Amino acid sequence: MQIIYSDLLCIGAGLAGERVAVEAAKAGFNVTCLSIVPPRRSHSSAAQGGMQAALGNAIMGEGDSPDIHFADTVKGSDWGCDQEVARIFADTAPIVMREVAHWGVPWNRVEAGVHTYYKGGKPFEAEEKREKHGLIHARAFGGTAKWRTCYTADGTGRSVLNTLDSMCLRYEVGIHDRTQAEALIHDGENCLGAIVRCLKTGELKAYLATATLIATGGYGRIYRATTNAVICDGGGQIAALDTGLVPMGNMEAIQFHPTGTVPTDILVTEGCRGDGGTLLDVNEYRFMPDYEPEKAELASRDVVSRRMQEHIRKGLGVKSPYGDHLWLDIRHLGEKHITTKLREVYDICTNFLGVNPIHDLIPVRPTQHYSMGGIRTNKDGAAYGLKGLFSAGESACWDMHGFNRLGGNSLAETVVAGRYVGKKIVEFLQGHTVDFKQSAINDAHTKVAARIMEMTKRSSKQESAIQLRDEMHSTMMDNVGIFRNGKDLQAAVDKLDELIDRAKNIKLQGTAIGFNPEISLALRIPGMLKLAQCTAYGALMRTESRGAHTREDFPERNDKEWLNRTLAYWKDGETRPELKYEEASPYFEIPPGERGYGGGKIITADIPEEKLRVPNKGADKKKAKQTKKAS
Amino acid sequence: MSRRLHIEVFRYNPLDPNSQPHMQSFYVNEYDSMTLFIALNIIRDEQDPTLQFDFCCRAGICGSCGMVINGRPSLACHTQTRDLPDHIVLHPLPVFKLIGDLSVDTGTWFRDAGSRIEAWVHNDHEKFDAKAEEARMENDLANDIFELDRCIECGCCVSACGTARMRDDFLGATSIARIARFYLDPRDERNEENYYQVIGNDQGVFGCMGLLGCEDVCPKHIPLQDQLGIMRRMLAIHSVKGILPKRILEKLQHKGCCHESH
């Protein structure tokens, strides 16, 4: 077996993985990135809308500050986030946007003068200030008090990914594409790297590293209707969960995006609504202001998705062979706007739907989009349970999103967390050595090799990976969707118990020598079922509604009992995770309150006085004063 | 619409000594709004789980699924079967190394090209000041740079290129457009001589035969030929700088497009 050594192994080479890689490579460490696809094909490339950062350059973002961004993020999370992390995020985001600009991102810029913008389908004029001319511009996104989403037309993910990838070239980061990490190598205390399958030859290799980062994105492919790329199968989370030591945080927190297209489930950006697009029903009536008079289409995603589903349930959806949907209307934005600032949307509509958005309405419905949960890390990005294991981006539960993520915050998170966690990994590497125990390497390798061997040779009790996948998809779509209840969730948990059991008997149908695509799916399905079970079981046990987690039988947000984060551990051989809970946030800079949209009752909690302030904030000021005096 | 599609696929597994390159026929019933992404996945799920092909975003944004569809390089995800006859023939992209069936290794090719042209902004990256305001840029320029940053590296242009088919060191239109992106970018401090050294040769701008295949097949409609012309003109003028009188040079330096004002 080939063994490859690095100081840092990044599993995943999207925005978060590459940003961490650049930080460590700049510090002189040897870095290897693994990626299922060439890095520029990572799902980050599909992100259209933009990255939130409180730069306050645009006239509609005037007066913005990290404090306001922080408050929006905490509200957006429905007070489920770690406020210490949300604070780090909001404070660092503007620096990171400027840094990537220095590296080459062609952010759209402020143009002084009067411009026509849209709000709720209505045009208005605003004058961009002369002194801001040429600085980074911003557009509106849901759930934000100010316009703060930095963007490059509707190809933000693409342009930032290109820039980071070019930095990886510049700093000689080793990119090993078409590789898939199948299992982590660990000795029970330290993570030592991963057993990796080459997707060109099928060969297994050991990648050893002092620090290992998981940045593999989300696991949306446990649902049938998802905006996620086909590679978003939770590979990183599965590898971590399989150790039995590393918990997943808040797996029940799944976001549905309001504007997945019908029937292909491809996302059209929130930028459509941010730029003034509206949602219409079967009568071409704009219904959102009735539900959310203040924010309308620009309430946060969980709220808009629920309101859409509610409206469809009233029978006001548009009937189609693919189920009921609603309309997104951007016709009033005009040809120029649509073919420049929303060109990707224009292409998607014309190429995939046969719809011309300049003249036609776009069929949309809420579709699985983002996983707020993932590998639970501390604020430094270090995973719980194993030393030397880190995670960043969507694969992590860092936890600045809590139970609902604001649009533009995840794309920003990839690079902000990437930079922050990258620096922490550099500190770790500077002070840490590790013994690569041969027994640990052999154990991990044997396990993966034996699984493949069994699937090839098995003769009795055969199961098809494709069949199991399809049954998982139906279970998750039908029972663990936007609206949830105890009965359906119990049915999902029971069904997933059965599927997890059956997955022990997967048999391959074909026998191809070398790389065999069927093995990829067969190796993944048992882990995906576990992630699905963490989601369903976590949702069943959480008897409240918070953010994207909506229980019809428990409609209140119950801060008294549930102002916490679910941790799901998986013991080998079980069909369900073991759930533990930890406090949502170490302290509450903003005490739990109403979000100002979405409605709903709150059962309040008694939070001890000392948790309602920022520890050290006073101390820091004092320290600063003392230093000043001393100097 | 209830055609039965005859999809003929190139099959070859280079790792299997018994495998011979051949065409294999599959039949699927056509649906409304069916794309080749859907059709190929049906084939793999229901008929042959070993069939190798690549998809990732399935939305025309990532570039994974470039293949030769009825003789023309294109993205399979955004190809609607209703726009094709009921006999569809699929080949892997030429030029790139074959991994198996319809899957080719574009990653190695593009990484190599990126290293050869040093595809990153050349400036002092350490000079970044976290406390300072960002350097200003005209919005039109930002848009022009983004226009060239839209390449998804699907490889269609390279596969449709006569020169690339004949010489394996040709950088292709995609790399020239990528260099043009840095030439346009004021943050990149390379001068014309630096560019000349990377693309002022037969592997670069002077290797192009002007067949226009690249631009014809580009799924993102990137103006590849314009960029090639601009870069070739810039380098040609650079190479005669010492020979031609300044007056004529100034006339020639008119670039005639988005590069004009920079």
Side-chain angles (χ1 to χ4, degrees):
Chain A
M1 181 178 52
Q2 197 186 348
I3 297 180
I4 294 130
Y5 291 89
S6 319
D7 295 319
L8 169 64
L9 176 68
C10 293
I11 303 174
L15 283 172
E18 289 206 324
R19 183 61 191 83
V20 169
V22 167
E23 197 63 36
K26 266 161 55 100
F29 289 102
N30 173 284
V31 186
T32 305
C33 280
L34 306 178
S35 180
I36 295 177
V37 290
R40 290 183 181 215
R41 294 193 174 157
S42 304
H43 194 43
S44 303
S45 71
Q48 299 160 13
M51 294 187 175
Q52 282 202 41
L55 291 165
N57 294 328
I59 189 69
M60 297 301 289
E62 203 173 36
D64 200 8
S65 73
D67 288 345
I68 305 176
H69 188 184
F70 168 75
D72 282 344
T73 302
V74 172
K75 277 185 208 167
S77 81
D78 221 351
W79 276 271
C81 74
D82 181 329
Q83 296 200 9
E84 194 178 8
V85 169
R87 173 50 79 180
I88 293 170
F89 166 73
D91 285 353
T92 319
I95 297 169
V96 179
M97 298 312 131
R98 290 177 178 138
E99 186 179 55
V100 293
H102 183 66
W103 294 349
V105 172
W107 294 119
N108 275 63
R109 302 296 178 134
V110 174
E111 289 178 282
V114 178
H115 296 268
T116 303
Y117 297 120
Y118 286 85
K119 197 179 176 185
K122 300 231 159 38
F124 68 94
E125 289 194 339
E127 185 172 359
E128 298 293 350
K129 291 191 167 164
R130 180 133 296 279
E131 67 262 30
K132 300 287 185 187
H133 184 82
L135 296 177
I136 299 170
H137 199 17
R139 60 169 37 144
F141 253 51
T144 66
K146 303 275 180 187
W147 289 24
R148 74 166 73 87
T149 310
C150 312
Y151 64 102
T152 51
D154 59 356
T156 310
R158 162 63 56 207
S159 69
V160 182
L161 185 65
N162 283 2
T163 295
L164 284 186
D165 192 49
S166 72
M167 291 298 280
C168 284
L169 260 185
R170 155 92 167 73
Y171 288 101
E172 295 177 358
V173 171
I175 300 282
H176 295 209
D177 70 3
R178 288 182 182 264
T179 55
Q180 179 144 314
E182 299 293 355
L184 292 180
I185 302 169
H186 69 92
D187 59 10
E189 265 177 49
N190 303 290
C191 182
L192 308 171
I195 297 293
V196 173
R197 199 164 52 93
C198 171
L199 302 183
K200 294 175 192 167
T201 64
E203 194 188 344
L204 293 181
K205 299 177 185 180
Y207 281 72
L208 302 182
T210 310
T212 303
L213 170 85
I214 296 179
T216 50
Y219 51 93
R221 286 277 154 182
I222 63 171
Y223 285 86
R224 187 190 306 111
T226 172
T227 64
N228 287 193
V230 299
I231 53 171
C232 300
D233 56 10
Q237 289 92 336
I238 294 168
L241 189 63
D242 274 347
T243 61
L245 303 166
V246 180
M248 300 293 121
N250 280 347
M251 293 292 276
E252 62 270 34
I254 296 277
Q255 181 174 79
F256 288 76
H257 196 289
T259 56
T261 57
V262 183
T264 47
D265 305 316
I266 296 169
L267 178 76
V268 291
T269 176
E270 185 164 331
C272 289
R273 282 171 292 132
D275 290 357
T278 55
L279 292 165
L280 308 179
D281 65 15
V282 66
N283 303 316
E284 302 198 11
Y285 170 73
R286 184 176 170 222
F287 58 92
M288 273 310 294
D290 295 352
Y291 294 103
E292 300 293 332
E294 269 291 299
K295 294 261 178 182
E297 281 85 357
L298 288 176
S300 86
R301 286 180 182 174
D302 61 319
V303 175
V304 178
S305 291
R306 264 195 307 276
R307 296 305 195 187
M308 289 168 75
Q309 198 71 9
E310 230 179 301
H311 205 66
I312 289 174
R313 282 184 176 184
K314 286 182 187 164
L316 292 162
V318 184
K319 302 262 177 269
S320 88
Y322 306 98
D324 293 359
H325 64 77
L326 295 159
W327 298 116
L328 172 65
D329 184 8
I330 58 170
R331 295 173 298 186
H332 49 280
L333 301 182
E335 183 169 352
K336 184 167 178 239
H337 188 101
I338 294 171
T339 54
T340 54
K341 290 197 170 161
L342 298 170
R343 178 164 48 185
E344 219 48 82
V345 173
Y346 177 79
D347 286 351
I348 287 167
C349 289
T350 48
N351 288 336
F352 296 91
L353 309 176
V355 160
N356 181 344
I358 298 166
H359 308 293
D360 305 325
L361 298 169
I362 309 169
V364 292
R365 69 175 162 214
T367 305
Q368 193 286 338
H369 180 58
Y370 188 83
S371 26
M372 274 74 76
I375 297 164
R376 176 66 185 139
T377 72
N378 67 13
K379 69 178 162 80
D380 295 343
Y384 286 17
L386 274 182
K387 218 170 168 184
L389 180 66
F390 297 81
S391 185
E394 189 177 350
S395 61
C397 178
W398 187 32
D399 189 7
M400 55 169 277
H401 301 305
F403 275 78
N404 174 61
R405 166 179 73 83
L406 297 183
N409 256 2
S410 70
L411 205 59
E413 180 196 9
T414 59
V415 282
V416 176
R419 183 180 195 262
Y420 188 82
V421 173
K423 286 186 190 299
K424 296 294 168 186
I425 290 178
V426 166
E427 283 171 22
F428 175 82
L429 288 171
Q430 281 163 343
H432 198 78
T433 53
V434 71
D435 281 332
F436 296 115
K437 299 186 184 69
Q438 192 66 41
S439 57
I441 304 167
N442 287 345
D443 276 359
H445 174 255
T446 312
K447 259 186 206 161
V448 179
R451 282 186 64 200
I452 295 174
M453 184 67 85
E454 275 173 31
M455 290 187 311
T456 322
K457 296 261 157 74
R458 185 170 282 126
S459 55
S460 60
K461 286 208 296 184
Q462 299 172 5
E463 291 286 348
S464 140
I466 293 162
Q467 173 72 25
L468 293 172
R469 179 199 66 194
D470 290 349
E471 288 185 38
M472 170 182 72
H473 280 166
S474 303
T475 304
M476 296 306 285
M477 292 309 294
D478 296 347
N479 301 322
V480 199
I482 293 180
F483 287 103
R484 302 166 171 184
N485 63 64
K487 188 170 149 273
D488 289 350
L489 289 170
Q490 186 64 54
V493 168
D494 292 343
K495 180 71 184 174
L496 289 165
D497 277 349
E498 176 207 318
L499 296 178
I500 288 166
D501 228 23
R502 281 167 56 194
K504 291 171 187 151
N505 301 316
I506 292 175
K507 163 100 165 75
L508 301 183
Q509 297 161 47
T511 50
I513 292 169
F515 171 70
N516 179 350
E518 196 189 1
I519 294 178
S520 298
L521 181 68
L523 279 172
R524 273 286 168 272
I525 284 297
M528 290 174 80
L529 286 166
K530 287 182 193 171
L531 298 181
Q533 186 66 298
C534 289
T535 307
Y537 190 53
L540 174 66
M541 299 316 279
R542 184 173 282 275
T543 48
E544 66 152 356
S545 294
R546 183 183 299 274
H549 172 67
T550 307
R551 287 284 299 257
E552 290 167 305
D553 41 357
F554 296 95
E556 307 84 11
R557 189 182 92 199
N558 187 345
D559 286 351
K560 204 166 200 162
E561 290 170 88
W562 290 105
L563 193 56
N564 59 19
R565 181 176 303 105
T566 311
L567 297 180
Y569 291 80
W570 202 285
K571 295 273 170 285
D572 202 21
E574 298 291 322
T575 58
R576 284 182 200 177
E578 183 192 341
L579 301 185
K580 294 181 184 171
Y581 295 90
E582 66 174 5
E583 288 182 327
S585 186
Y587 55 82
F588 293 90
E589 191 175 337
I590 303 179
E594 281 186 30
R595 289 204 279 175
Y597 47 77
K601 251 179 72 181
I602 299 170
I603 299 170
T604 53
D606 293 323
I607 297 169
E609 190 62 32
E610 71 270 18
K611 293 219 167 219
L612 290 173
R613 60 187 165 79
V614 183
N616 302 326
K617 203 174 185 182
D620 279 352
K621 269 187 193 158
K622 218 169 149 188
K623 210 171 150 193
K625 253 188 196 166
Q626 279 170 351
T627 334
K628 218 175 170 187
K629 259 188 199 165
S631 65
Chain B
M1 161 122 35
S2 56
R3 297 191 301 175
R4 189 155 172 80
L5 301 175
H6 173 202
I7 301 182
E8 221 186 327
V9 182
F10 175 85
R11 299 302 302 270
Y12 178 52
N13 179 356
L15 296 168
D16 181 355
N18 297 318
S19 172
Q20 293 291 328
H22 65 284
M23 299 302 289
Q24 184 177 355
S25 288
F26 297 97
Y27 297 88
V28 290
N29 293 323
E30 190 174 33
Y31 298 0
D32 275 349
S33 312
M34 192 182 223
T35 62
L36 279 179
F37 166 72
I38 298 171
L40 282 167
N41 276 286
I42 289 175
I43 292 172
R44 187 150 77 183
D45 281 359
E46 297 173 5
Q47 302 180 32
D48 188 343
T50 66
L51 182 64
Q52 293 192 54
F53 53 76
D54 296 319
F55 286 99
C56 180
C57 75
R58 55 80 178 92
I61 297 168
C62 83
S64 293
C65 59
M67 58 181 74
V68 179
I69 301 162
N70 283 357
R72 189 183 172 87
S74 191
L75 295 184
C77 72
H78 80 188
T79 301
Q80 306 249 345
T81 55
R82 68 169 177 226
D83 297 330
L84 296 170
D86 58 9
H87 182 200
I88 299 166
V89 184
L90 303 177
H91 287 98
L93 291 182
V95 180
F96 303 100
K97 188 178 172 197
L98 183 75
I99 290 174
D101 301 336
L102 298 173
S103 177
V104 296
D105 184 2
T106 51
T108 305
W109 193 96
F110 276 97
R111 203 101 208 135
D112 173 59
S115 308
R116 283 165 65 197
I117 61 171
E118 300 188 6
W120 59 85
V121 165
H122 285 53
N123 63 12
D124 183 356
H125 293 122
E126 302 304 325
K127 231 167 87 186
F128 172 69
D129 179 358
K131 293 191 190 89
E133 200 174 74
E134 63 270 26
R136 290 172 194 249
M137 181 182 267
E138 287 299 320
N139 192 49
D140 286 345
L141 174 58
N143 278 326
D144 287 347
I145 295 171
F146 175 66
E147 190 63 25
L148 301 180
D149 232 356
R150 288 170 50 250
C151 172
I152 57 175
E153 304 192 349
C154 60
C156 287
C157 62
V158 180
S159 288
C161 170
T163 308
R165 298 287 286 271
M166 291 190 295
R167 54 184 305 160
D168 56 15
D169 59 356
F170 185 54
L171 283 163
T174 174
S175 312
I176 310 292
R178 202 158 152 192
I179 267 286
R181 175 239 179 276
F182 293 107
Y183 176 55
L184 198 55
D185 195 329
R187 291 166 293 200
D188 191 295
E189 292 165 2
R190 280 180 279 187
N191 61 25
E192 290 170 346
E193 179 58 30
N194 300 141
Y195 289 118
Y196 200 93
Q197 277 167 9
V198 267
I199 56 163
N201 48 33
D202 282 356
Q203 291 92 51
V205 288
F206 300 122
C208 170
M209 298 188 288
L211 300 175
L212 304 180
C214 52
E215 192 161 325
D216 282 354
V217 300
C218 175
K220 304 311 277 185
H221 309 294
I222 295 170
L224 296 168
Q225 280 297 324
D226 280 359
Q227 296 310 314
L228 201 129
I230 290 160
M231 297 311 284
R232 188 185 261 183
R233 186 186 181 92
M234 181 270 283
L235 296 177
I237 293 169
H238 175 72
S239 66
V240 295
K241 240 180 193 162
I243 307 166
L244 287 182
K246 212 176 161 203
R247 185 174 47 82
I248 299 177
L249 269 179
E250 268 166 17
K251 241 184 197 171
L252 283 173
Q253 259 157 356
H254 172 81
K255 292 165 188 164
C257 81
C258 59
H259 289 63
E260 182 77 324
S261 52
H262 317 299

